[in-house]
Amino acid sequence: MKISQRHAWSLTVDEAIKIQEKLKDEVITEDKLKEPVQYVAGVDMGFEADGTISRAAVAVLSFPDLQLQETSLARRPTTFPYIPGFLSFREIPAVLDALEKIKTIPDIILCDGQGIAHPRRFGIACHLGLIVDMPTIGVAKSLLVGKHEEIPDTRGSWQPLIHRGETIGAVLRTRVGVKPIYVSSGHKVSLPTAIDYVLRCTTKYRLPETTRIADKLASNK
């Protein structure tokens, strides 16, 4: 996998903001996918030793049948504090280590976190997508910024997520009777396509299989 280290990872918050503001203009929110999509991946993070060790997991599944093909784990010391809006600086270094281990290269990566649904339009899915030059989708369990209308309680229902008058993502119902998830473009994927792939990767649970399996690995569940 081609990985381009765009900057150092030992940074202050002010330095991190400057990087987000600079790199956000390189994010592509149009479809640049390799068709047909044969493999999808999920990445997620866990932490050990009171947060001092980052534990990154990657799960690669075949598509559209969602059969697990490969997994990898990587650990490294955590070098950036937990600050909402800056999770990519805390998590991506270990994620890159895990991605470097896989042999099955995915066509899309679903990230446990935000894409452009971010105060500076540069969440972890955008950041990772630029570094590995691959299509990525942000799939978050909670709201970071924005407002939305009420969502019908039917699978596949969604409402635009609006922030500062701009549609930055979708609030998507993946299962009846459970909380929605927050989907946004990461890199090289449009919002409609992101919604489509998230739904197609989601079976009987709230989260896509990519995220669910990676979460289990990262959390050692």
Short mmCIF file of all heavy atoms in Angstrom, two decimals, residues 61-99:
data_model
loop_
_atom_site.label_atom_id
_atom_site.label_comp_id
_atom_site.label_asym_id
_atom_site.label_seq_id
_atom_site.Cartn_x
_atom_site.Cartn_y
_atom_site.Cartn_z
N LEU A 61 -12.70 -7.20 4.11
CA LEU A 61 -13.79 -8.10 3.75
C LEU A 61 -13.97 -8.10 2.24
O LEU A 61 -13.75 -7.07 1.58
CB LEU A 61 -15.10 -7.67 4.42
CG LEU A 61 -15.31 -7.96 5.91
CD1 LEU A 61 -14.34 -7.17 6.77
CD2 LEU A 61 -16.75 -7.62 6.29
N SER A 62 -14.40 -9.22 1.70
CA SER A 62 -14.78 -9.26 0.30
C SER A 62 -16.11 -8.51 0.13
O SER A 62 -16.89 -8.39 1.07
CB SER A 62 -14.92 -10.70 -0.19
OG SER A 62 -15.83 -11.42 0.62
N PHE A 63 -16.33 -8.02 -1.07
CA PHE A 63 -17.55 -7.27 -1.35
C PHE A 63 -18.14 -7.75 -2.65
O PHE A 63 -17.41 -7.95 -3.62
CB PHE A 63 -17.24 -5.76 -1.44
CG PHE A 63 -18.44 -4.90 -1.59
CD1 PHE A 63 -19.15 -4.47 -0.47
CD2 PHE A 63 -18.91 -4.53 -2.85
CE1 PHE A 63 -20.28 -3.68 -0.62
CE2 PHE A 63 -20.03 -3.75 -3.00
CZ PHE A 63 -20.72 -3.32 -1.87
N PRO A 64 -19.45 -8.00 -2.70
CA PRO A 64 -20.48 -7.59 -1.73
C PRO A 64 -20.86 -8.65 -0.69
O PRO A 64 -21.76 -8.41 0.12
CB PRO A 64 -21.68 -7.32 -2.63
CG PRO A 64 -21.53 -8.32 -3.74
CD PRO A 64 -20.05 -8.45 -3.98
N ASP A 65 -20.18 -9.81 -0.66
CA ASP A 65 -20.63 -10.87 0.25
C ASP A 65 -20.12 -10.71 1.68
O ASP A 65 -20.55 -11.43 2.57
CB ASP A 65 -20.25 -12.24 -0.29
CG ASP A 65 -18.77 -12.39 -0.54
OD1 ASP A 65 -18.08 -11.35 -0.66
OD2 ASP A 65 -18.28 -13.53 -0.63
N LEU A 66 -19.20 -9.76 1.91
CA LEU A 66 -18.76 -9.39 3.25
C LEU A 66 -18.16 -10.57 4.04
O LEU A 66 -18.42 -10.74 5.23
CB LEU A 66 -19.90 -8.75 4.05
CG LEU A 66 -20.56 -7.52 3.42
CD1 LEU A 66 -21.70 -7.02 4.27
CD2 LEU A 66 -19.54 -6.42 3.19
N GLN A 67 -17.32 -11.34 3.35
CA GLN A 67 -16.61 -12.43 4.01
C GLN A 67 -15.23 -11.94 4.45
O GLN A 67 -14.51 -11.32 3.66
CB GLN A 67 -16.48 -13.63 3.08
CG GLN A 67 -17.81 -14.25 2.67
CD GLN A 67 -18.61 -14.73 3.87
OE1 GLN A 67 -18.15 -15.56 4.65
NE2 GLN A 67 -19.83 -14.21 4.01
N LEU A 68 -14.87 -12.20 5.69
CA LEU A 68 -13.59 -11.73 6.22
C LEU A 68 -12.43 -12.38 5.46
O LEU A 68 -12.36 -13.60 5.36
CB LEU A 68 -13.50 -12.04 7.71
CG LEU A 68 -12.24 -11.53 8.43
CD1 LEU A 68 -12.17 -10.01 8.38
CD2 LEU A 68 -12.23 -12.01 9.88
N GLN A 69 -11.54 -11.54 4.95
CA GLN A 69 -10.39 -12.02 4.18
C GLN A 69 -9.09 -11.93 4.94
O GLN A 69 -8.23 -12.80 4.83
CB GLN A 69 -10.26 -11.20 2.89
CG GLN A 69 -11.49 -11.23 2.00
CD GLN A 69 -11.79 -12.61 1.47
OE1 GLN A 69 -10.93 -13.23 0.83
NE2 GLN A 69 -12.99 -13.10 1.73
N GLU A 70 -8.92 -10.85 5.71
CA GLU A 70 -7.64 -10.62 6.35
C GLU A 70 -7.80 -9.61 7.48
O GLU A 70 -8.65 -8.71 7.41
CB GLU A 70 -6.64 -10.08 5.32
CG GLU A 70 -5.23 -9.95 5.81
CD GLU A 70 -4.28 -9.45 4.73
OE1 GLU A 70 -4.71 -9.27 3.57
OE2 GLU A 70 -3.09 -9.23 5.05
N THR A 71 -6.99 -9.75 8.51
CA THR A 71 -6.97 -8.77 9.59
C THR A 71 -5.51 -8.46 9.94
O THR A 71 -4.60 -9.24 9.66
CB THR A 71 -7.67 -9.27 10.86
OG1 THR A 71 -6.97 -10.41 11.38
CG2 THR A 71 -9.12 -9.63 10.59
N SER A 72 -5.31 -7.31 10.55
CA SER A 72 -3.98 -6.98 11.08
C SER A 72 -4.14 -6.09 12.30
O SER A 72 -5.12 -5.37 12.45
CB SER A 72 -3.11 -6.30 10.02
OG SER A 72 -3.55 -4.99 9.76
N LEU A 73 -3.14 -6.17 13.16
CA LEU A 73 -3.08 -5.36 14.37
C LEU A 73 -1.72 -4.69 14.46
O LEU A 73 -0.71 -5.25 14.02
CB LEU A 73 -3.28 -6.22 15.62
CG LEU A 73 -4.70 -6.64 16.01
CD1 LEU A 73 -4.65 -7.66 17.13
CD2 LEU A 73 -5.52 -5.43 16.42
N ALA A 74 -1.70 -3.51 15.04
CA ALA A 74 -0.43 -2.82 15.27
C ALA A 74 -0.53 -2.01 16.55
O ALA A 74 -1.59 -1.45 16.86
CB ALA A 74 -0.08 -1.92 14.09
N ARG A 75 0.54 -1.97 17.27
CA ARG A 75 0.61 -1.17 18.51
C ARG A 75 1.78 -0.21 18.43
O ARG A 75 2.84 -0.55 17.90
CB ARG A 75 0.78 -2.09 19.73
CG ARG A 75 -0.37 -3.01 20.03
CD ARG A 75 -0.02 -3.92 21.19
NE ARG A 75 -1.11 -4.78 21.58
CZ ARG A 75 -1.38 -5.96 21.01
NH1 ARG A 75 -0.63 -6.39 20.00
NH2 ARG A 75 -2.38 -6.70 21.45
N ARG A 76 1.59 0.95 19.02
CA ARG A 76 2.70 1.90 19.16
C ARG A 76 2.36 2.88 20.27
O ARG A 76 1.18 3.06 20.62
CB ARG A 76 2.99 2.63 17.85
CG ARG A 76 1.93 3.58 17.36
CD ARG A 76 2.52 4.69 16.49
NE ARG A 76 3.24 4.21 15.31
CZ ARG A 76 4.08 4.97 14.62
NH1 ARG A 76 4.31 6.23 14.99
NH2 ARG A 76 4.68 4.50 13.54
N PRO A 77 3.34 3.55 20.85
CA PRO A 77 3.05 4.52 21.91
C PRO A 77 2.16 5.64 21.41
O PRO A 77 2.29 6.11 20.28
CB PRO A 77 4.44 5.05 22.29
CG PRO A 77 5.38 3.96 21.90
CD PRO A 77 4.79 3.34 20.67
N THR A 78 1.22 6.07 22.25
CA THR A 78 0.32 7.17 21.91
C THR A 78 1.06 8.49 22.13
O THR A 78 1.62 8.72 23.21
CB THR A 78 -0.93 7.13 22.80
OG1 THR A 78 -1.53 5.84 22.70
CG2 THR A 78 -1.93 8.18 22.39
N THR A 79 1.07 9.35 21.12
CA THR A 79 1.85 10.59 21.22
C THR A 79 1.02 11.85 21.19
O THR A 79 1.57 12.95 21.35
CB THR A 79 2.89 10.65 20.07
OG1 THR A 79 2.20 10.59 18.82
CG2 THR A 79 3.88 9.49 20.17
N PHE A 80 -0.30 11.73 20.96
CA PHE A 80 -1.14 12.93 20.90
C PHE A 80 -2.30 12.74 21.86
O PHE A 80 -2.87 11.65 21.94
CB PHE A 80 -1.66 13.14 19.47
CG PHE A 80 -2.16 14.53 19.18
CD1 PHE A 80 -1.30 15.50 18.70
CD2 PHE A 80 -3.49 14.88 19.41
CE1 PHE A 80 -1.76 16.79 18.43
CE2 PHE A 80 -3.95 16.16 19.15
CZ PHE A 80 -3.08 17.12 18.66
N PRO A 81 -2.68 13.78 22.61
CA PRO A 81 -3.76 13.62 23.59
C PRO A 81 -5.13 13.45 22.95
O PRO A 81 -5.31 13.74 21.76
CB PRO A 81 -3.70 14.94 24.38
CG PRO A 81 -3.11 15.93 23.42
CD PRO A 81 -2.13 15.15 22.60
N TYR A 82 -6.09 12.98 23.74
CA TYR A 82 -7.47 12.86 23.26
C TYR A 82 -8.12 14.23 23.26
O TYR A 82 -8.38 14.81 24.32
CB TYR A 82 -8.27 11.90 24.14
CG TYR A 82 -9.74 11.89 23.77
CD1 TYR A 82 -10.19 11.15 22.68
CD2 TYR A 82 -10.67 12.65 24.48
CE1 TYR A 82 -11.52 11.16 22.31
CE2 TYR A 82 -12.01 12.66 24.12
CZ TYR A 82 -12.42 11.91 23.05
OH TYR A 82 -13.74 11.93 22.68
N ILE A 83 -8.38 14.77 22.08
CA ILE A 83 -9.05 16.06 21.92
C ILE A 83 -10.04 15.90 20.77
O ILE A 83 -9.63 15.61 19.64
CB ILE A 83 -8.07 17.21 21.59
CG1 ILE A 83 -6.94 17.29 22.63
CG2 ILE A 83 -8.81 18.54 21.51
CD1 ILE A 83 -5.85 18.29 22.27
N PRO A 84 -11.34 16.07 21.01
CA PRO A 84 -12.31 15.97 19.91
C PRO A 84 -11.95 16.91 18.77
O PRO A 84 -11.57 18.05 18.99
CB PRO A 84 -13.63 16.38 20.58
CG PRO A 84 -13.45 16.01 22.02
CD PRO A 84 -12.00 16.28 22.32
N GLY A 85 -12.04 16.38 17.55
CA GLY A 85 -11.68 17.15 16.37
C GLY A 85 -10.25 16.94 15.92
O GLY A 85 -9.85 17.41 14.85
N PHE A 86 -9.47 16.20 16.75
CA PHE A 86 -8.06 15.96 16.41
C PHE A 86 -7.69 14.48 16.55
O PHE A 86 -6.53 14.14 16.73
CB PHE A 86 -7.15 16.79 17.32
CG PHE A 86 -7.32 18.27 17.17
CD1 PHE A 86 -8.21 18.96 17.97
CD2 PHE A 86 -6.61 18.98 16.20
CE1 PHE A 86 -8.39 20.33 17.83
CE2 PHE A 86 -6.79 20.34 16.06
CZ PHE A 86 -7.68 21.03 16.86
N LEU A 87 -8.69 13.61 16.44
CA LEU A 87 -8.43 12.20 16.69
C LEU A 87 -7.48 11.60 15.65
O LEU A 87 -6.77 10.63 15.96
CB LEU A 87 -9.74 11.41 16.71
CG LEU A 87 -10.72 11.76 17.83
CD1 LEU A 87 -11.87 10.76 17.86
CD2 LEU A 87 -10.02 11.80 19.18
N SER A 88 -7.45 12.15 14.45
CA SER A 88 -6.57 11.57 13.43
C SER A 88 -5.11 11.65 13.84
O SER A 88 -4.32 10.75 13.55
CB SER A 88 -6.78 12.26 12.08
OG SER A 88 -6.47 13.62 12.13
N PHE A 89 -4.73 12.71 14.54
CA PHE A 89 -3.34 12.86 14.97
C PHE A 89 -2.98 11.85 16.07
O PHE A 89 -1.82 11.47 16.20
CB PHE A 89 -3.08 14.29 15.45
CG PHE A 89 -3.24 15.30 14.35
CD1 PHE A 89 -4.44 15.97 14.17
CD2 PHE A 89 -2.20 15.58 13.47
CE1 PHE A 89 -4.61 16.90 13.16
CE2 PHE A 89 -2.36 16.50 12.45
CZ PHE A 89 -3.56 17.16 12.29
N ARG A 90 -3.96 11.42 16.80
CA ARG A 90 -3.76 10.43 17.86
C ARG A 90 -3.77 9.01 17.30
O ARG A 90 -3.02 8.14 17.77
CB ARG A 90 -4.88 10.60 18.90
CG ARG A 90 -4.86 9.63 20.07
CD ARG A 90 -6.01 10.01 21.01
NE ARG A 90 -6.24 9.05 22.07
CZ ARG A 90 -5.62 9.05 23.24
NH1 ARG A 90 -4.71 9.96 23.48
NH2 ARG A 90 -5.92 8.16 24.17
N GLU A 91 -4.61 8.77 16.27
CA GLU A 91 -4.88 7.40 15.85
C GLU A 91 -4.18 6.96 14.56
O GLU A 91 -3.85 5.77 14.42
CB GLU A 91 -6.39 7.22 15.69
CG GLU A 91 -7.15 7.44 16.99
CD GLU A 91 -8.65 7.21 16.87
OE1 GLU A 91 -9.11 6.89 15.75
OE2 GLU A 91 -9.36 7.35 17.87
N ILE A 92 -3.98 7.86 13.62
CA ILE A 92 -3.48 7.43 12.30
C ILE A 92 -2.10 6.77 12.33
O ILE A 92 -1.88 5.80 11.59
CB ILE A 92 -3.52 8.61 11.30
CG1 ILE A 92 -4.97 8.82 10.83
CG2 ILE A 92 -2.63 8.34 10.10
CD1 ILE A 92 -5.15 9.94 9.82
N PRO A 93 -1.14 7.23 13.14
CA PRO A 93 0.16 6.55 13.10
C PRO A 93 0.07 5.03 13.30
O PRO A 93 0.69 4.27 12.55
CB PRO A 93 0.94 7.23 14.24
CG PRO A 93 0.38 8.62 14.27
CD PRO A 93 -1.09 8.43 14.02
N ALA A 94 -0.71 4.58 14.27
CA ALA A 94 -0.86 3.14 14.48
C ALA A 94 -1.67 2.50 13.36
O ALA A 94 -1.40 1.36 12.96
CB ALA A 94 -1.51 2.88 15.84
N VAL A 95 -2.67 3.22 12.85
CA VAL A 95 -3.47 2.70 11.73
C VAL A 95 -2.58 2.45 10.51
O VAL A 95 -2.70 1.42 9.83
CB VAL A 95 -4.62 3.66 11.38
CG1 VAL A 95 -5.28 3.27 10.06
CG2 VAL A 95 -5.66 3.67 12.49
N LEU A 96 -1.67 3.35 10.23
CA LEU A 96 -0.75 3.17 9.11
C LEU A 96 0.12 1.93 9.31
O LEU A 96 0.38 1.18 8.35
CB LEU A 96 0.12 4.41 8.92
CG LEU A 96 -0.61 5.70 8.50
CD1 LEU A 96 0.38 6.86 8.42
CD2 LEU A 96 -1.32 5.52 7.17
N ASP A 97 0.57 1.71 10.53
CA ASP A 97 1.34 0.50 10.83
C ASP A 97 0.54 -0.76 10.51
O ASP A 97 1.06 -1.72 9.94
CB ASP A 97 1.76 0.48 12.29
CG ASP A 97 2.80 1.54 12.64
OD1 ASP A 97 3.40 2.12 11.71
OD2 ASP A 97 3.00 1.79 13.84
N ALA A 98 -0.73 -0.75 10.89
CA ALA A 98 -1.59 -1.91 10.63
C ALA A 98 -1.87 -2.08 9.14
O ALA A 98 -1.88 -3.21 8.62
CB ALA A 98 -2.90 -1.78 11.41
N LEU A 99 -2.08 -0.98 8.43
CA LEU A 99 -2.35 -1.06 7.00
C LEU A 99 -1.14 -1.59 6.22
O LEU A 99 -1.28 -2.29 5.22
CB LEU A 99 -2.75 0.31 6.45
CG LEU A 99 -4.17 0.78 6.78
CD1 LEU A 99 -4.35 2.24 6.38
CD2 LEU A 99 -5.22 -0.09 6.09
#
